[in-house]
Amino acid sequence: MLAIGTLSRKTGTKVQTIRYYEQIGLMNEAGRTSGGQRRYYVKDLDRLAFIRHSRQLGFSLDSIRELLDLSDNPSQSCAEADSIARRQLRQVEQRIKRLQALKKELKRMVAECDGESVAECKVLEVLRDHSECLTNHDEIGA
Amino acid sequence: MLAIGTLSRKTGTKVQTIRYYEQIGLMNEAGRTSGGQRRYYVKDLDRLAFIRHSRQLGFSLDSIRELLDLSDNPSQSCAEADSIARRQLRQVEQRIKRLQALKKELKRMVAECDGESVAECKVLEVLRDHSECLTNHDEIGA
DNA sequence: TTGATAAGCTACAGTGACTTTAGATAAAGG
DNA sequence: CCTTTATCTAAAGTCACTGTAGCTTATCAA
Ligand SMILES: [Zn+2]
Ligand SMILES: [Zn+2]
Ligand SMILES: [Zn+2]
Ligand SMILES: [Zn+2]
């Protein structure tokens, strides 16, 4: 039986995060010692590792929930798992595209400013006026 | 004098978001009609446009706050504005790098699965075992 | 057995940048 | 005057955690 700190160390997950996963039903409720501390089986460690690895690959907790459900029923077809992964791939590709457009704009504004006063700062000028941009960027955030 | 809905339409910002910006001190408190509705000057519209354009380019609200402060003092050197933009550029480049590594892994796992049962699903296999990966991905999320 | 230290517990607030909801009030046009 | 549209406040919800406070349990040496 493993203590929560062991799971934490073995998977690089904060202890609070493990408790959080339990709270939202992603991890099963762990057994407890007489004093109330959580104790885990190796299969719980495996599940946590799966969750963390999926997070590292950018999957949302909702997607991970689906993937875990599928993984628990080995007889089904894996079409659904594959489609979740393909969706994730498309999202990543979209993000890369968007970020590359941002990179281009940022690079240009930084390059074109020669560091004079704020009044002539190219960076601030572009931020004030989108018509100075080469690309459209209608979505917000990262 | 412009109503909040006009600012909303002209900048593509939700009305609530404009009120949120006021609440956190990013937009000045607007004047009010006798009935308590907000009324804006064109300079407020410009400020909001600046904020939204900066958000589209991925700047955080904290960075935008600094940029607005600088923009309000035209006599200073723009070194700080430029450095904020360069920092943003570096961040974007980092993100692109990370996402490209994710893309590679996702592409590979999707490509290598031939859609048999869950038991042999390459996607799930990789998620279970990071040693199947070609790259390290220690940070989490996007 | 004692006592120190490390590890764990709950409960709740905070993060960023909003979005959503509910219920009430104001403005504008016919 | 009436209806419709716009606006108001206040509070909770989102995502995926992280941090804090104040306490209890487990472990090991002396
Ligand atoms: Zn400059
Ligand atoms: Zn632009
Ligand atoms: Zn598969
Ligand atoms: Zn991996």
Side-chain angles (χ1 to χ4, degrees):
Chain A
M1 303 292 284
L2 313 166
I4 198 169
T6 310
L7 265 72
S8 169
R9 246 171 295 113
K10 293 217 182 197
T11 63
T13 313
K14 298 233 159 107
V15 165
Q16 296 104 303
T17 304
I18 301 174
R19 291 197 282 245
Y20 167 72
Y21 288 157
E22 179 184 302
Q23 196 184 302
I24 62 170
L26 206 54
M27 290 288 284
N28 305 323
E29 289 200 23
R32 302 287 184 126
T33 63
S34 57
Q37 299 196 358
R38 288 170 181 82
R39 288 297 180 268
Y40 295 93
Y41 297 106
V42 171
K43 76 172 173 42
D44 299 312
L45 174 59
D46 291 344
R47 191 177 174 95
L48 180 58
F50 184 105
I51 294 170
R52 295 308 277 181
H53 194 215
S54 304
R55 288 292 296 128
Q56 289 181 325
L57 288 163
F59 289 90
S60 72
L61 293 185
D62 267 3
S63 293
I64 294 171
R65 207 186 291 271
E66 289 188 69
L67 290 166
L68 282 166
D69 284 354
L70 291 167
S71 187
D72 288 345
N73 294 20
S75 61
Q76 305 170 249
S77 130
C78 74
E80 188 141 358
D82 295 12
S83 113
I84 293 172
R86 272 193 300 273
R87 192 181 64 204
Q88 175 65 15
L89 174 58
R90 280 195 305 275
Q91 263 186 32
V92 166
E93 285 171 338
Q94 268 301 100
R95 294 251 214 107
I96 289 174
K97 251 190 204 152
R98 218 184 101 60
L99 287 174
Q100 274 167 344
L102 294 194
K103 174 178 164 184
K104 201 167 139 186
E105 297 293 352
L106 288 167
K107 232 177 172 161
R108 205 166 60 95
M109 58 200 253
V110 163
E112 286 185 21
C113 186
D114 45 6
E116 294 299 318
S117 74
V118 156
E120 301 135 41
C121 180
K122 187 70 181 180
V123 168
L124 294 168
E125 194 180 310
V126 173
L127 292 179
R128 269 181 227 117
D129 181 7
H130 168 61
S131 73
E132 301 236 12
C133 289
L134 297 176
T135 58
N136 275 15
H137 25 250
D138 26 51
E139 270 187 61
I140 223 142
Chain B
M1 304 292 282
L2 313 166
I4 198 168
T6 311
L7 263 73
S8 169
R9 246 169 294 114
K10 293 216 181 199
T11 63
T13 313
K14 297 230 157 108
V15 165
Q16 296 102 304
T17 305
I18 302 174
R19 291 197 282 247
Y20 168 72
Y21 288 158
E22 179 184 303
Q23 195 184 304
I24 63 169
L26 206 55
M27 290 290 282
N28 303 323
E29 288 200 22
R32 299 290 182 124
T33 64
S34 59
Q37 299 196 356
R38 289 170 180 81
R39 288 296 180 268
Y40 295 93
Y41 298 106
V42 171
K43 76 171 173 43
D44 298 313
L45 174 58
D46 291 344
R47 192 178 173 93
L48 181 57
F50 184 105
I51 295 169
R52 293 310 276 182
H53 193 216
S54 304
R55 287 292 295 128
Q56 289 181 324
L57 288 162
F59 289 91
S60 72
L61 292 184
D62 268 2
S63 292
I64 295 171
R65 207 186 291 272
E66 286 187 71
L67 291 165
L68 282 166
D69 284 354
L70 292 166
S71 186
D72 288 345
N73 293 22
S75 60
Q76 305 169 248
S77 131
C78 73
E80 188 140 358
D82 295 13
S83 111
I84 292 171
R86 272 194 299 274
R87 192 181 63 204
Q88 176 64 16
L89 175 58
R90 279 195 305 275
Q91 264 186 31
V92 166
E93 286 171 337
Q94 268 300 103
R95 295 248 216 109
I96 290 174
K97 252 190 204 152
R98 219 183 100 59
L99 287 174
Q100 274 167 343
L102 294 195
K103 175 179 163 184
K104 202 167 138 186
E105 297 293 353
L106 288 167
K107 233 180 170 157
R108 206 166 59 95
M109 56 199 254
V110 163
E112 288 186 20
C113 187
D114 45 5
E116 294 300 317
S117 75
V118 157
E120 300 133 42
C121 180
K122 187 69 180 181
V123 168
L124 294 169
E125 192 180 311
V126 172
L127 292 178
R128 269 182 225 118
D129 182 8
H130 167 62
S131 74
E132 301 236 13
C133 289
L134 297 175
T135 59
N136 274 16
H137 25 249
D138 26 55
E139 269 187 61
I140 223 142

